[in-house]
Amino acid sequence: MRTTWTGVPKEVRDAGAPLLAKYGHVLPGWVRLLEVTFDDAMTESFAEFESEPNYHRAKLILGGGWLNCDQEKRDWLMRHELSHAQFAPIDAAFEYVLLALSKRMRVVVEKMYNDAVEEAVSGLAYALVKDTE
């Protein structure tokens, strides 16, 4: 897998690169390119993950608050965000399911699905370090 760091400040890269090296094995084999970017304006979350399985690439976006986190939270964020890649095939299939639903039902089902995925991703992220708390 090739990793690029586009527009990422040095201090963010210095904090993120060791964690990516530590947890990069979580990424499935379809990820051939991982683009790491930085978005200082991203205030709703410290990091986000986007998958594009058809193109064999993924993107990890580190937010402006990344450096304000302590090491433990950065570790957690890296595990959590990289774990999202494991659910990309299910996410893609779910997009087709949404199209079959009425607009009113889409909102409800999408919320339920997103909550379930976040719970599963968090469980996987905890399992990576055998953390059961």
Side-chain angles (χ1 to χ4, degrees), residues 64-78:
W66 173 260
L67 286 177
N68 296 332
C69 298
D70 62 20
Q71 186 61 31
E72 185 176 332
K73 182 155 186 170
R74 286 184 201 154
D75 191 271
W76 159 253
L77 288 166
M78 186 64 72

Side-chain angles (χ1 to χ4, degrees), residues 36-61:
V36 183
T37 64
F38 180 74
D39 184 353
D40 193 37
M42 193 168 74
T43 58
E44 293 297 313
S45 60
F46 296 109
E48 293 180 2
F49 194 85
E50 298 174 358
S51 296
E52 295 181 277
N54 291 342
Y55 298 104
H56 303 281
R57 63 184 178 218
K59 181 187 284 189
L60 173 64
I61 307 161

